[in-house]
């Protein structure tokens, strides 16, 4: 517990810049071929299986994982470059992104050998979509209130209950889910949850869509009725998931996706303002640039410190706290800064379409993957206040 | 990247500050008796002229070493022109001029102020907000002359000083050069101009500010853990925790962005587009952090933090005052915005990603 915050000055090494050019060329070709439109986020298929396979073929999924599981043993900074370039281009990566960022690393750590050998190479080839099963109708931020039960039966576990807000569940091949295997104890309310790998084709699983206020279908409710999961699909310690849940979070919280989600409206703002903006717009734009640069330098720093084996838990949480609030406010700020533009500016239609989409997406950014309030609790704990 | 020598020089500075400039002691010392021994200790360690090459009378430390010293100085937020003297020595060296002993400051200290060097070698101009001008023995001046940008060394007593004060009570003066003959002057290195001086000043203020913000966070968390209200330390209340977490976020951003700008200067000592993006962003973000953080810290401390007796104001008011030196956040934001607009949307992300 300390108030000493650390941000090592990490600059991306030369091999990252070669890789970046490679990624940009690939994305330019995909855009030219009509795979996606970088100016229209929220349009088109966000789960593009064929596209994910082409990304896998380039070696850009599971980049940091061991070669024997189909990975490429590259650095986290190289993965960082790929992630940020895909995000800035608004490329559809939902199909493999969760597996690449979160699920794969958990399997690497806790899955038995034959499961690693079976599943990880398929993730790397861009063939598998994962869903995270944590929230339930009665438990969201309070993960340890989960009630969906896994009951021990002969050769496996029988699951009953439901998970909610499960992004990707309607297209996912596997879930990594948190299920109750014992009651919490008086001493430890976090005790009694176990992490399982669940094949989404298992009989007894129903996926019901929940449409978001953007009009998109991403959320689902996943209902388990006597779904049978084999013994070797237990990930880690029975009843001890609480010990496993926190270690990977710094990666999940500090990546470029935590501040670039609405970045496209900033590019469109620059197009709308033209080369000679008035002083008010120039100042507004400059403040946004300074924030973006600061966030990216923090985020790269956390990636570099993780690569070096450090554990910047507080710093990672701060990146997500500041980054998500910034990307949430960004469309509103862009709206203000374009208030005095002439009606005939060339990109008005694109700008307005993007602003409408970004404005409807914005509220979720400070909720998903750890709410602002939860993050600040973690930061306060790190400072020595709890 | 911090090198081994950073740690040594910054370590020396930290010991001097701890021994001679303890905030509690200074705060009780209304007469300023601490200043003389403190400055002597700094001078003995070669810190005021750290950025002056040995052949020009200084100790020839690297930019990285000096910036590490200023980060330490920020943690103590003292009312002495150490940063200003270091920067003045550095400015004189841009024109190969020897640096005098004693305290110095820099003019202009605002981006829109101008000083002119006439063909007769005489300075004219009126500049605002010169930090510590009335306390400094010499002023290092950047002036526009017919043959280009020049640097001059001026005795403060040769100028007219109209005294002003920052919110922290430090001198921030209007300096009038009414046909002042400098002690010496020379043309600056090719490419060096007032924008470069302002960017250097902005990095210096950002690094100091980040140090001060670290001190404010540490003081605020310690106080929240000690102060009991409603039968609990106030740090146990979620509302207070959320505020302190926000404060930590501001401190983190300031540390990261000022560290990045300092690293950029230390690595390539040039005032190009990369340095402009880094230095302007650092000044903007650190100034914004100052505004937010001073507010949060005072809220945590309540009434006691609003007293002269408490040290908090030494940190918060100086932090707020530094926003205005060498271009405030509005100025740099407009400059940065104009630059990015000229660059265009397609070149913007490559610029950000290049850092």
């Amino acid at each position: 517990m300390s108030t000493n915050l650390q941000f090592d000055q990490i600059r991306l090494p030369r091999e990252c810049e070669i890789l970046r050019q490679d990624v940009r060329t690939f994305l330019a070709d995909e855009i030219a071929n009509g795979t996606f439109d970088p100016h229209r986020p929220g349009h088109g298929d966000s789960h593009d299986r064929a596209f994910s396979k082409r990304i896998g073929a380039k070696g850009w999924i599971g980049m940091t994982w061991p070669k024997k599981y189909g990975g490429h043993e590259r650095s986290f900074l190289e993965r960082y470059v790929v992630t940020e370039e895909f995000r800035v281009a608004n490329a559809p990566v939902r199909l493999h992104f969760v597996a690449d960022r979160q699920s794969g690393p958990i399997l690497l750590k806790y899955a038995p050998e034959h499961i690693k050998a079976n599943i990880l190479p398929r993730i790397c080839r861009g063939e598998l979509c994962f869903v995270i099963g944590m929230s339930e109708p009665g438990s969201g931020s309070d993960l340890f209130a989960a009630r969906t039960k896994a009951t021990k039966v002969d050769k496996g576990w029988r699951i009953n209950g439901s998970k909610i807000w499960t992004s990707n569940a309607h297209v996912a091949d596997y879930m990594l889910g948190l299920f109750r295997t014992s009651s919490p104890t008086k001493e430890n309310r976090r005790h009694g949850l176990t992490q399982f790998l669940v094949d989404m084709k298992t009989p007894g699983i129903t996926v019901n869509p929940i449409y978001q206020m953007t009009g998109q279908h991403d959320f689902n409710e996943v209902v388990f009725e006597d779904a049978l999961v084999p013994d070797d699909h237990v990930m880690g310690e029975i009843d001890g998931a609480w010990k496993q849940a926190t270690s990977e979070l710094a990666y999940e919280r500090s990546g470029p996706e935590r501040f670039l989600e609405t970045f496209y409206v900033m590019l469109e703002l620059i197009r709308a303002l033209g080369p000679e903006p008035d002083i008010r717009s120039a100042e507004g734009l400059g403040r946004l640039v300074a924030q973006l640069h600061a966030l990216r330098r923090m985020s790269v720093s956390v990636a570099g410190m993780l690569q070096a084996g450090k554990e910047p838990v507080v710093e990672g949480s701060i990146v997500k706290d500041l980054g998500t609030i910034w990307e949430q406010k960004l469309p509103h700020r862009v709206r203000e800064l374009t208030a005095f533009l002439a009606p005939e500016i060339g990109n008005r239609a694109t700008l307005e379409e993007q602003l409408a989409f970004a404005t409807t997406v914005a509220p979720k950014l400070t909720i998903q993957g750890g709410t602002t309030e939860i993050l600040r609790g973690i930061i306060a704990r790190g400072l020595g206040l709890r | 990247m911090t090198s081994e020598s950073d740690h040594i020089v910054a370590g020396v500075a930290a010991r001097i500050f701890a021994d001679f400039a303890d905030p509690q002691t200074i705060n009780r010392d209304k007469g300023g008796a601490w200043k003389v021994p403190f400055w002597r200790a700094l001078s003995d360690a070669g810190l005021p002229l750290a950025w002056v090459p040995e052949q020009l009378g200084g100790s020839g430390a690297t930019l990285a070493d000096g910036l590490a010293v200023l980060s330490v100085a920020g943690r103590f937020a003292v009312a002495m022109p150490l940063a200003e003297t270091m920067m003045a020595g550095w400015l004189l060296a841009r024109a190969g001029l020897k640096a005098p002993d004693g305290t110095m400051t820099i003019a202009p200290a605002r981006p829109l102020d101008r000083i002119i060097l006439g063909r007769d070698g005489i300075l004219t101009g009126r500049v605002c907000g010169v930090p510590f001008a009335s306390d400094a023995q010499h002023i290092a001046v950047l002036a526009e002359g017919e043959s280009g940008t020049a640097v001059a060394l001026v005795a403060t007593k040769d100028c007219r000083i109209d005294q002003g004060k920052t919110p922290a009570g430090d001198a921030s003066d209007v300096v009038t050069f009414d046909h002042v003959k400098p002690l010496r002057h020379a043309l600056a290195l090719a490419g060096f101009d007032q924008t470069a001086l302002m960017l250097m000043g902005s990095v210096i203020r950002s690094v100091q500010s980040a140090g001060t913000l670290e001190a404010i966070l540490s003081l605020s968390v310690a106080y929240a853990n000690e102060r009991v209200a409603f039968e609990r330390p106030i740090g146990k209340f979620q509302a207070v925790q959320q505020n302190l977490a926000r404060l930590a976020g501001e401190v983190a951003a300031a540390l990261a962005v000022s560290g990045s700008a300092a690293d950029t200067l230390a690595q390539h000592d040039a005032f190009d587009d990369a340095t402009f993006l880094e230095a302007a962003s650092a000044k903007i973000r650190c100034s914004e952090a100052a505004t937010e953080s001073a507010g949060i810290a005072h809220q945590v401390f309540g009434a006691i933090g609003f007293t002269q007796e408490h040290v908090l104001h030494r940190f918060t008011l100086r932090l707020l005052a530094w926003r205005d030196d060498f271009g405030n956040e509005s100025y740099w934001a407009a400059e940065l915005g104009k630059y990015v607009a000229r660059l265009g949307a397609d070149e913007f992300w490559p610029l950000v990603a290049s850092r």
Side-chain angles (χ1 to χ4, degrees):
Chain A
M1 301 310 114
S2 153
T3 60
N4 288 331
L5 300 167
Q6 190 185 347
F7 289 91
D8 292 354
Q9 286 307 319
I10 307 293
R11 303 284 169 188
L12 298 174
R14 197 175 141 62
E15 63 266 23
C16 285
E17 297 313 315
I18 298 166
L19 173 63
R20 187 190 300 283
Q21 293 314 318
D22 236 18
V23 175
R24 285 182 183 166
T25 307
F26 170 81
L27 288 170
D29 288 347
E30 291 287 340
I31 292 166
N33 293 338
T35 306
F36 63 96
D37 182 347
H39 303 294
R40 301 195 78 192
H43 284 76
D45 185 4
S46 56
H47 298 86
D48 184 337
R49 281 192 183 265
F51 182 53
S52 284
K53 281 182 190 165
R54 291 199 291 279
I55 298 167
K58 293 296 288 183
W60 295 335
I61 305 174
M63 287 178 74
T64 62
W65 307 349
K67 285 186 178 162
K68 71 168 177 170
Y69 301 123
H72 304 277
E73 300 182 6
R74 301 183 80 159
S75 73
F76 282 95
L77 292 174
E78 289 174 292
R79 181 180 178 275
Y80 190 97
V81 165
V82 171
T83 308
E84 69 177 355
E85 290 296 329
F86 272 80
R87 183 64 49 161
V88 164
N90 285 319
V93 295
R94 296 201 69 106
L95 190 101
H96 65 266
F97 194 70
V98 168
D100 180 53
R101 182 178 70 182
Q102 275 157 280
S103 313
I106 290 172
L107 293 177
L108 266 174
K109 214 165 181 179
Y110 300 110
E113 190 56 37
H114 68 279
I115 288 183
K116 285 193 220 179
N118 171 23
I119 292 182
L120 291 171
R122 289 195 283 149
I123 294 179
C124 294
R125 291 198 297 269
E127 294 170 5
L128 293 183
C129 181
F130 269 69
V131 50
I132 298 164
M134 290 209 186
S135 293
E136 296 183 10
S139 73
S141 287
D142 184 8
L143 276 184
F144 300 102
R147 283 161 45 174
T148 296
K149 238 184 191 159
T151 311
K152 186 75 192 90
V153 293
D154 188 31
K155 289 180 186 156
W157 300 78
R158 201 172 289 289
I159 300 179
N160 280 288
S162 63
K163 291 288 176 186
I164 201 163
W165 321 135
T166 49
S167 298
N168 305 337
H170 57 301
V171 289
D173 303 285
Y174 289 96
M175 172 186 279
L176 273 176
L178 210 53
F179 301 106
R180 184 153 295 288
T181 41
S182 298
S183 301
T185 59
K186 231 184 226 158
E187 301 74 38
N188 185 3
R189 67 180 292 270
R190 300 185 294 177
H191 172 87
L193 291 171
T194 305
Q195 194 161 36
F196 286 86
L197 172 68
V198 182
D199 185 335
M200 290 298 282
K201 290 187 290 292
T202 307
I205 297 178
T206 319
V207 178
N208 302 313
I210 302 172
Y211 289 89
Q212 297 176 338
M213 68 189 220
T214 57
Q216 291 175 304
H217 175 204
D218 180 23
F219 282 168
N220 300 277
E221 177 196 39
V222 182
V223 180
F224 299 86
E225 291 163 301
D226 286 335
L228 190 66
V229 175
D231 274 325
D232 61 6
H233 281 42
V234 171
M235 298 290 121
E237 195 179 317
I238 292 170
D239 294 338
W242 60 277
K243 296 177 202 165
Q244 297 161 208
T246 49
S247 57
E248 287 87 12
L249 288 178
Y251 284 110
E252 194 202 318
R253 293 199 166 129
S254 61
E257 67 275 18
R258 298 307 186 184
F259 56 94
L260 290 174
E261 191 90 19
T262 56
F263 174 68
Y264 48 85
V265 297
M266 191 167 168
L267 289 181
E268 219 52 49
L269 168 69
I270 298 170
R271 280 189 195 100
L273 293 179
E276 290 180 353
D278 64 25
I279 194 78
R280 170 183 176 271
S281 307
E283 183 190 343
L285 173 60
R287 285 187 188 249
L288 294 174
V289 173
Q291 285 283 0
L292 174 65
H293 168 69
L295 285 165
R296 184 172 175 282
R297 293 297 300 138
M298 296 170 87
S299 172
V300 168
S301 176
V302 171
M305 290 192 284
L306 287 165
Q307 176 72 35
K310 299 182 182 177
E311 289 185 358
V313 175
V314 173
E315 287 84 351
S317 298
I318 285 175
V319 172
K320 182 170 188 293
D321 184 14
L322 291 179
T324 53
I325 285 176
W326 184 77
E327 64 185 7
Q328 184 172 70
K329 284 186 177 160
L330 182 57
H332 304 289
R333 194 69 195 114
V334 169
R335 170 184 162 273
E336 292 166 355
L337 291 173
T338 51
F340 296 102
L341 288 180
E344 63 272 15
I345 56 161
N347 65 335
R348 179 169 292 280
T350 308
L351 177 66
E352 285 179 356
E353 182 184 284
Q354 288 188 3
L355 277 180
F357 182 66
T359 303
T360 51
V361 165
K364 82 162 177 175
L365 302 174
T366 51
I367 300 168
Q368 63 186 6
T371 64
T372 304
E373 291 79 359
I374 291 289
L375 290 170
R376 290 183 181 169
I378 292 166
I379 296 164
R381 179 171 291 120
L383 293 173
L385 290 162
R386 324 180 45 168
Chain B
M1 293 285 159
T2 43
S3 68
E4 194 60 27
S5 74
D6 285 358
H7 295 302
I8 295 169
V9 180
V12 168
R15 267 198 306 283
I16 294 173
F17 275 88
D19 290 348
F20 293 92
D22 169 62
Q24 297 286 357
T25 314
I26 288 178
N27 205 44
R28 282 192 294 267
D29 177 0
K30 304 297 177 213
W34 59 277
K35 289 185 178 175
V36 172
F38 172 60
W39 191 262
R40 193 183 307 124
L42 291 176
S43 301
D44 289 348
L47 295 177
L49 298 186
W51 281 329
V52 176
E54 288 176 15
Q55 66 272 21
L56 296 178
S59 40
T62 62
L63 278 173
D65 278 344
L67 289 166
V69 168
L70 290 176
S71 162
V72 172
R75 271 175 245 153
F76 289 83
V78 291
M80 283 291 277
L82 173 62
E84 290 74 9
T85 303
M86 285 172 65
M87 186 174 163
W90 174 86
L91 173 60
L92 293 171
R94 297 306 92 193
L97 294 177
K98 286 186 81 160
D101 285 335
T103 50
M104 288 191 281
T105 189
I106 324 94
R110 303 260 163 110
L112 302 179
D113 290 353
R114 288 283 177 280
I115 300 167
I116 305 296
L117 178 69
R119 209 181 307 175
D120 50 2
I122 298 296
L123 295 167
T124 51
R126 187 165 180 272
V127 296
C128 306
V130 179
F132 296 105
S134 44
D135 300 332
Q137 291 155 275
H138 293 94
I139 306 176
V141 171
L142 183 114
E144 294 306 327
E146 272 186 15
S147 16
T149 304
V151 178
L153 179 69
V154 172
T156 309
K157 63 175 171 48
D158 294 339
C159 308
R160 197 179 105 203
I161 307 286
D162 293 301
Q163 291 198 8
K165 285 206 182 307
T166 70
D170 299 339
S172 174
D173 307 314
V174 178
V175 180
T176 307
F177 298 86
D178 183 7
H179 297 87
V180 171
K181 186 172 163 47
L183 301 172
R184 41 186 179 266
H185 66 92
L187 279 179
L189 297 172
F192 190 77
D193 60 11
Q194 189 161 331
T195 302
L197 181 67
M198 294 300 128
L199 291 172
M200 180 68 175
S202 292
V203 175
I204 287 173
R205 284 293 186 255
S206 300
V207 167
Q208 287 176 286
S209 298
T212 302
L213 283 161
E214 287 186 283
I216 287 174
L217 177 64
S218 160
L219 284 172
S220 302
V221 168
Y223 183 74
N225 276 329
E226 285 162 13
R227 171 68 178 175
V228 172
F230 307 101
E231 297 165 355
R232 286 194 280 172
I234 59 169
K236 296 293 171 203
F237 291 97
Q238 282 204 353
V240 176
Q241 290 179 357
Q242 293 269 323
N243 273 342
L244 286 168
R246 275 179 53 222
L247 174 59
E250 294 300 305
V251 176
L255 268 176
V257 76
S258 67
S260 183
D263 173 67
T264 301
L265 261 190
Q267 297 299 321
H268 78 215
D269 195 8
F271 293 90
D272 54 9
D273 288 356
T275 303
F276 169 66
L277 169 70
E278 293 266 2
S281 296
K283 191 69 176 8
I284 296 164
R285 190 64 186 87
C286 289
S287 298
E288 289 176 348
T291 308
E292 285 295 306
S293 303
I296 296 170
H298 277 288
Q299 192 67 24
V300 168
F301 277 89
I304 189 69
F306 194 64
T307 62
Q308 202 158 53
E309 164 201 343
H310 199 276
V311 294
L312 182 63
H313 64 81
R314 303 193 65 81
F315 298 94
T316 53
L317 294 179
R318 211 148 272 130
L319 183 65
L320 293 173
W322 286 337
R323 294 176 303 177
D324 288 319
D325 297 335
F326 311 110
N328 66 20
E329 64 274 35
S330 285
Y331 171 80
W332 283 119
E335 291 299 301
L336 190 53
K338 285 187 234 168
Y339 170 75
V340 165
R342 276 197 308 276
L343 198 64
D346 293 341
E347 290 308 310
F348 175 57
W349 172 252
L351 171 76
V352 174
S354 72
R355 302 309 307 152

